Amino acid sequence: MRRLLWLTAAALLAAGCSTAPGGEAAAVKQPDPRPLGGALHFTAAESAALHAAEEQEVRKCMASRGFDYDAVPVGDVGRRAAESPYGLLTRTRAAQDGYGLTVERLRKPPVDPNAQRVSALTERDRRAWEGALKGAADGPREEIELPGGPTVSVPTDSCVTAASRALYGASWERDHYAVQHLRNTVVKDTLDHPLVKSAERKWAACMRDEGFRYEHREDPLVALKKRLDSDGSDAAALRATGREELRIAVRDAACQVEASVAEQVSRAQKQVEKALPPARTSLLKEFRAARDTALRRAEARTASTA
């Protein structure tokens, strides 16, 4: 049944391509602002290579501790790479995929090749296997305090952590969480910026003209998620929700263009980032160096196994 629903959704979304705007309009390039120069953004190819390299390191670490481990397949890195941190939507993506909600709901998650092996273990051996992979509950941990934010606890005895540090370097978790925290601050302050708020009001007026009474850009996503929750596994209901998702997303994307939302987000982000503390420069420099090193290592591993 799940495969049938997935094929139905795929056919539905493919059919939605026929509702796309004309080639000239679809080809118009709009800004795709990424906080901090895209420091945390990876292409689909980069994400896939990093995932494969990290899984290889996890397998080596688990083997050194006497445990079998098979690499977990990578998820939908293409979709993640295309996602905007600001919820911006292009006409082409909207016509082909809507907001990606229906397809995501129907998509079968990657199968963990270790699940069957682990389920066959005794309770004691299962805890030992999971402790080696993710860190023992009472094992050593590093506490990472984020500026003005929560404290993140990282298990230092886990193979996941060992793999991450083998690929990115010893300070990766601390730098990554710090940059992620900074990125989240930039996104929040940008979305709260008067330029973006003004553009959102124009967007809402545009959507009202199309018959949609939304005040905020996340409103259609919230409504569609509730509808999907109520659909359950009803194939007909899911098809109807998928069609409605495409219809709304296409108008949403057009209204974002009409209200110049992407342009205003880009302008606001520049102003927000100018006001960031100077200390971010050294943090980002160190983070990018670790990122570049990891990508080189991942590419080398991919080449060696090709």
Side-chain angles (χ1 to χ4, degrees):
M1 175 59 76
R2 291 189 64 144
R3 177 168 174 77
L4 175 61
L5 293 177
W6 162 246
L7 291 173
T8 301
L12 168 66
L13 294 177
C17 294
S18 62
T19 65
E24 182 178 347
V28 173
K29 183 72 172 176
Q30 69 182 56
D32 182 23
R34 302 276 173 176
L36 311 175
L40 281 166
H41 180 250
F42 294 90
T43 67
E46 289 171 340
S47 293
L50 289 167
H51 175 84
E54 202 160 353
E55 285 294 292
Q56 189 179 45
E57 291 293 337
V58 171
R59 186 173 63 248
K60 286 167 54 180
C61 175
M62 291 292 281
S64 72
R65 301 185 187 188
F67 297 104
D68 291 328
Y69 179 87
D70 292 323
V72 177
V74 69
D76 190 352
V77 289
R79 182 182 302 281
R80 290 202 301 270
E83 287 177 351
S84 164
Y86 297 106
L88 300 174
L89 197 61
T90 66
R91 290 176 184 261
T92 301
R93 185 182 174 200
Q96 292 175 342
D97 203 22
Y99 299 102
L101 298 177
T102 303
V103 170
E104 184 66 26
R105 184 63 58 94
L106 298 174
R107 175 176 288 109
K108 207 171 181 179
V111 175
D112 185 347
N114 302 288
Q116 187 173 357
R117 173 192 297 123
V118 174
S119 65
L121 297 175
T122 65
E123 178 66 19
R124 178 181 178 181
D125 288 344
R126 183 185 60 78
R127 285 201 303 268
W129 190 93
E130 292 180 345
L133 179 66
K134 303 175 183 178
D138 56 353
R141 308 184 79 84
E142 178 183 2
E143 306 298 323
I144 301 175
E145 295 183 11
L146 300 177
T151 297
V152 180
S153 182
V154 177
T156 56
D157 64 336
S158 75
C159 279
V160 169
T161 300
S164 175
R165 293 181 176 182
L167 193 61
Y168 295 94
S171 63
W172 174 253
E173 290 90 359
R174 183 172 296 278
D175 289 345
H176 184 268
Y177 281 117
V179 172
Q180 195 171 57
H181 180 72
L182 187 60
R183 168 197 178 276
N184 293 343
T185 299
V186 170
V187 170
K188 179 182 181 301
D189 291 349
T190 297
L191 291 174
D192 288 341
H193 195 283
L195 287 172
V196 178
K197 290 296 186 183
S198 176
E200 189 173 62
R201 287 192 292 272
K202 293 177 182 177
W203 170 87
C206 175
M207 291 296 281
R208 280 196 297 274
D209 290 343
E210 298 294 332
F212 301 106
R213 301 194 66 81
Y214 299 129
E215 294 298 325
H216 307 289
R217 285 189 296 122
E218 64 269 21
D219 289 350
L221 282 82
V222 172
L224 285 165
K225 286 176 182 176
K226 287 182 179 177
R227 179 166 169 173
L228 283 168
D229 288 340
S230 67
D231 288 344
S233 59
D234 185 319
L238 288 166
R239 285 196 297 271
T241 300
R243 288 192 293 270
E244 180 68 0
E245 178 183 343
L246 286 171
R247 186 175 77 91
I248 296 172
V250 166
R251 297 314 309 155
D252 184 343
C255 284
Q256 287 191 33
V257 171
E258 183 174 318
S260 300
V261 175
E263 289 79 4
Q264 297 308 320
V265 166
S266 184
R267 289 179 59 195
Q269 179 185 275
K270 289 177 183 177
Q271 294 183 21
V272 167
E273 290 186 342
K274 281 183 180 177
L276 290 174
R280 79 182 190 280
T281 303
S282 59
L283 170 64
L284 288 173
K285 184 178 179 180
E286 185 174 345
F287 179 84
R288 287 195 178 98
R291 168 196 164 112
D292 293 343
T293 297
L295 286 170
R296 286 195 299 270
R297 288 171 176 167
E299 289 170 2
R301 285 167 170 75
T302 301
S304 66
T305 57

